[in-house]
Amino acid sequence: MRIVFKTDYMQDIRPWKDRYQLGLYLILLAVVFAAPMVIDDFYLGELTNVLIWALAGMGLMILTGHTGQASLGHAAFLAFGCYANIILMEQGVPFMVAFPVAGLLTGIVGVIIAIPALRLHGIYLAIATLAMSILTDDIIVLTEPWTGGVGGKYAPSVNVFGFDIDRWGTPKEFYYLVLGVVVIVTLGYINLMRAPLGRSFIAVRDSEVSAQAMGVDIARTKAMSFGLSCAVTGLAGALMGLFAGAFNNETFSVIISIELLMMIVIGGLGSIHGAFFGAIVIGFLPQFLSISKEWVGAVFGGSSVAIPGLEFGVFGMILIGFILFEPMGIYGRWLKIRTFFELFPFYRKDMFKRQKSYLKTERLR
Amino acid sequence: MDTLQLLISGLANGCVYGLIALGFVLIYKATEAVNFAQGDFMMLGAFVTIGLTNAGYMGVPFWLAVPISITIMAALGYLLDRFVIRLMFGQSQTAVVILTIALGFVIRFVAGMIWGHEPQSLENPLAGKELRLGELVLGMEDVAVIVVTVLLTWGLYEFFNRTKMGLAMQGASQNQLAAYYMGVPVKRVQGFIWALAGAVACIAGILFAAKGAVDPSTGLMGIKAFAAAVIGGFGSLPGALAGGLIVGVIEPFASRYIAAGYSQVAPYALLLAVLIFRPHGLFSQVRVKKV
């Protein structure tokens, strides 16, 4: 077991616990940086997809995992970021400007939506955001002059520092673009959680009443959380549009919103790792299913028939399993396993047990 | 006359929304959780009945199949509570929301596996019959939907306000621990309410499948029923019915008088408007706590 002996106040604040942990993350960074040289273009595309989903997951994680506001409508912000980016580029704005501006605009829209949403709690917020996500489809069709409506739009190749980057033409460069954005956002996220704003997010999540008593401005904190969350989601949406190449009103459907929320639950709510773990599950589940279907077909002699809805069925079952047996998600399970080995004979079953709570009404406030 | 005809068909549609919303409200009233899979429950109830009664499947007589399928769905609701929801006892509403969404995915998948993805209609004795009142021509199914819904809402309303069990449910929803100390069998109450919600969903499914056709993705209609429940203010049974009727009536009128493309937005726009201006619904149940 490693014991971190603290000799300095900075050790409490800095993002890594000790050199060992910092080293692990640097190795991880080196591995993902070297990945394009090892794996072929197909799996590189899948890896890019996972990174984009992780980015979107981090966006939602700020709001749901760290501020405790469940949103079933984040596909709307993915769509907004995607369309804002492409429309700006069509107006002749270079990608290097259009991309951050798309994120910024999405963040501003998020804050504007947060203002009425601040009055809503729990399920009401979930339902309001769900309705918003459904409306997005219709709004995209209605604003056809800008969005192309049902016909959709095609993503052009983008120019970054003089390199032409295209999803199909130059998958390696596209991967590095996505990786760069993900690394910057992740570092920003880690720093946010060390800053007063991030701490007040967590305070609001754990108890609004106590947060208020400690002098946290609830309305402002929630609005900031919405804004940051939507900005990151908008960036992910812009990348998703470039990755898909073509998109229309149905690309960012309400199913994507739900999938996004479920993804971070599977990964582990309230941790940045969770967004990445969840994205890995979402990204590789279809591949895993098709491979295992072939395998089952080969072993039992059945033909590999397509089963409609299988992906969502399996996904739902995985999610139910996680919520019932591991509410802390994959990251929570990993923490438990790690603690088990770190403390070796002294790990107890109840170490991560939460205090038992009982339902009290929200109708009396 | 046209307006009246639109109104009646809207009311009949609205009753189905109202019935799904009733399922939401039942569970919300007793456990403060929201069952996002209620629409899928309805779809499953419809398919169970179709599987029992349609000539292509088992061919059980309609009036025998109805009680059987209601029992099956009630049992399913109970088992679901017993083996899935109860493990979540005391966890946050959001966790239950996510769980039931996942459950909806699974139910849709299972229904698709068993009954296929083609839209199917329920063979029933009322099909094709009409009720003529002067110039007004009403489908018997529409009339049946309205009558059954009103009776069911009234019955459940009385049940909640008059019986001991109904009061126990309200108590259990307000504070589980306190209700338990007062001798309310909280777990049994919760199991009972899920069974009841299953039965109501089954009735909604039967009525819906008799009126039109169901396929596994019909359950997504539950989202419109959210609009109904929210407008009614979650937790009020007549409110849910009223909300359902409002949504149901708005739809045909919107598609007739508002330009295409804008009309399907109407229910959700109404939902958002209600949430913004009256965050706890038109028939609000929220009172400020006095210390």
Side-chain angles (χ1 to χ4, degrees):
Chain A
M1 185 187 171
R2 284 177 300 122
I3 294 171
V4 180
F5 186 67
K6 286 178 184 160
T7 53
D8 189 2
Y9 288 119
M10 277 310 287
Q11 278 179 303
D12 273 336
I13 307 175
R14 72 183 183 203
W16 59 89
K17 212 159 59 179
D18 52 15
R19 288 230 174 96
Y20 172 71
Q21 199 188 19
L22 178 67
L24 282 184
Y25 284 116
L26 287 179
I27 291 171
L28 177 67
L29 193 63
V31 167
V32 287
F33 200 77
M37 292 153 207
V38 185
I39 57 182
D40 64 10
D41 279 358
F42 174 75
Y43 281 101
L44 193 64
E46 292 301 308
L47 198 58
T48 314
N49 191 26
V50 166
L51 283 179
I52 295 174
W53 273 94
L55 189 62
M58 278 196 284
L60 187 56
M61 191 65 88
I62 298 176
L63 188 64
T64 304
H66 280 122
T67 321
Q69 312 294 311
S71 164
L72 283 169
H74 259 52
F77 301 113
L78 284 176
F80 190 92
C82 173
Y83 277 102
N85 180 39
I86 297 294
I87 290 168
L88 281 172
M89 276 166 64
E90 280 174 352
Q91 301 301 316
V93 182
F95 174 75
M96 292 297 280
V97 179
F99 182 64
V101 169
L104 194 68
L105 284 177
T106 320
I108 292 169
V109 168
V111 172
I112 291 169
I113 285 173
I115 292 167
L118 288 179
R119 299 178 61 190
L120 305 173
H121 293 262
I123 48 161
Y124 288 98
L125 182 64
I127 292 169
T129 47
L130 186 68
M132 195 181 70
S133 187
I134 292 167
L135 284 181
T136 308
D137 186 335
D138 296 315
I139 289 170
I140 290 172
V141 175
L142 290 176
T143 52
E144 201 188 329
W146 298 303
T147 60
V150 183
K153 273 191 182 293
Y154 295 94
S157 68
V158 296
N159 192 303
V160 181
F161 297 127
F163 293 103
D164 260 337
I165 293 183
D166 179 71
R167 150 92 172 95
W168 300 109
T170 55
K172 286 196 175 66
E173 282 76 1
F174 189 75
Y175 172 78
Y176 283 124
L177 169 70
V178 173
L179 184 63
V181 174
V182 169
V183 168
I184 291 169
V185 169
T186 311
L187 288 178
Y189 196 168
I190 293 169
N191 273 307
L192 172 72
M193 293 331 285
R194 303 195 295 153
L197 187 62
R199 300 287 161 128
S200 57
F201 286 173
I202 295 176
V204 168
R205 174 190 70 186
D206 289 345
S207 164
E208 278 188 27
V209 177
S210 331
Q212 208 162 18
M214 298 300 286
V216 173
D217 184 343
I218 303 262
R220 187 180 153 270
T221 308
K222 279 191 190 170
M224 280 304 286
S225 174
F226 255 99
L228 286 171
S229 162
C230 294
V232 173
T233 314
L235 292 181
L239 289 177
M240 223 176 248
L242 293 180
F243 182 75
F247 47 89
N248 67 357
N249 59 322
E250 285 173 0
T251 310
F252 301 100
S253 67
V254 65
I255 297 291
I256 300 284
S257 294
I258 295 174
E259 233 178 336
L260 201 55
L261 181 64
M262 303 199 149
M263 178 184 104
I264 62 169
V265 172
I266 289 179
L269 276 180
S271 63
I272 303 174
H273 299 79
F276 285 88
F277 285 129
I280 291 169
V281 172
I282 282 265
F284 287 115
L285 186 66
Q287 256 66 43
F288 173 75
L289 282 180
S290 66
I291 291 169
S292 57
K293 225 167 18 189
E294 271 170 32
W295 185 80
V296 167
V299 170
F300 296 102
S303 59
S304 58
V305 282
I307 307 169
L310 174 71
E311 202 178 302
F312 277 109
V314 172
F315 189 47
M317 283 181 239
I318 293 176
L319 188 66
I320 291 174
F322 265 106
I323 291 184
L324 291 183
F325 304 111
E326 188 54 89
M328 289 163 77
I330 295 175
Y331 183 61
R333 175 48 60 185
W334 160 241
L335 277 185
K336 286 175 191 175
I337 293 171
R338 198 179 66 186
T339 316
F340 177 82
F341 283 109
E342 276 180 357
L343 297 179
F344 176 57
F346 301 114
Y347 180 83
R348 287 181 300 111
K349 228 178 108 193
D350 295 340
M351 257 179 164
F352 284 89
K353 196 147 196 165
R354 283 181 295 183
Q355 194 185 2
K356 199 155 183 73
S357 63
Y358 294 94
L359 182 92
K360 275 190 194 148
T361 184
E362 290 199 351
R363 277 180 268 168
L364 292 169
R365 227 184 287 281
Chain B
M1 208 72 239
D2 254 9
T3 315
L4 203 59
Q5 200 85 45
L6 271 183
L7 187 69
I8 300 283
S9 75
L11 283 180
N13 263 334
C15 281
V16 175
Y17 296 147
L19 278 177
I20 305 175
L22 223 53
F24 290 138
V25 171
L26 281 175
I27 292 177
Y28 185 78
K29 251 176 124 68
T31 67
E32 291 242 336
V34 177
N35 178 15
F36 270 63
Q38 190 70 24
D40 300 291
F41 265 38
M42 181 208 81
M43 178 270 294
L44 193 63
F47 269 118
V48 167
T49 321
I50 286 175
L52 280 173
T53 187
N54 273 18
Y57 295 100
M58 291 170 70
V60 177
F62 180 76
W63 294 114
L64 184 64
V66 167
I68 295 178
S69 50
I70 290 177
T71 316
I72 292 176
M73 286 304 291
L76 203 70
Y78 179 80
L79 291 176
L80 196 66
D81 173 63
R82 179 66 191 79
F83 292 108
V84 180
I85 310 288
R86 198 169 293 175
L87 297 178
M88 307 273 299
F89 215 78
Q91 284 194 37
S92 73
Q93 284 182 344
T94 319
V96 181
V97 165
I98 295 168
L99 179 78
T100 50
I101 293 175
L103 212 60
F105 279 147
V106 175
I107 292 176
R108 229 169 292 152
F109 168 63
V110 170
M113 287 281 280
I114 300 176
W115 291 286
H117 289 263
E118 296 300 311
Q120 298 184 42
S121 186
L122 179 65
E123 291 161 12
N124 60 319
L126 294 178
K129 290 189 186 152
E130 285 171 350
L131 186 69
R132 288 178 185 277
L133 297 171
E135 287 177 52
L136 199 62
V137 183
L138 302 176
M140 272 306 269
E141 302 106 326
D142 286 356
V143 177
V145 168
I146 295 173
V147 170
V148 171
T149 309
V150 170
L151 282 179
L152 198 63
T153 312
W154 178 73
L156 288 171
Y157 180 73
E158 291 290 312
F159 169 76
F160 261 97
N161 285 336
R162 298 284 164 84
T163 66
K164 232 172 152 182
M165 188 70 169
L167 282 178
M169 284 172 177
Q170 298 202 13
S173 86
Q174 295 206 343
N175 189 334
Q176 277 177 342
L177 200 58
Y180 180 71
Y181 288 153
M182 294 299 123
V184 175
V186 176
K187 285 182 182 170
R188 209 187 321 151
V189 161
Q190 207 171 328
F192 181 76
I193 203 75
W194 275 87
L196 201 59
V200 170
C202 187
I203 294 172
I206 291 170
L207 294 173
F208 184 78
K211 253 162 55 65
V214 284
D215 65 274
S217 57
T218 305
L220 291 176
M221 210 182 76
I223 295 172
K224 268 182 203 156
F226 272 128
V230 166
I231 291 167
F234 261 107
S236 154
L237 290 167
L241 181 59
L245 293 180
I246 291 172
V247 173
V249 169
I250 278 179
E251 268 189 322
F253 281 94
S255 62
R256 188 175 171 120
Y257 295 112
I258 304 176
Y262 289 89
S263 56
Q264 70 265 37
V265 174
Y268 305 111
L270 182 71
L271 166 67
L272 283 178
V274 167
L275 279 177
I276 290 168
F277 294 111
R278 278 191 67 88
H280 296 284
L282 296 179
F283 304 82
S284 177
Q285 298 254 313
V286 176
R287 291 175 212 98
V288 174
K289 184 153 64 180
K290 294 189 179 77
V291 182

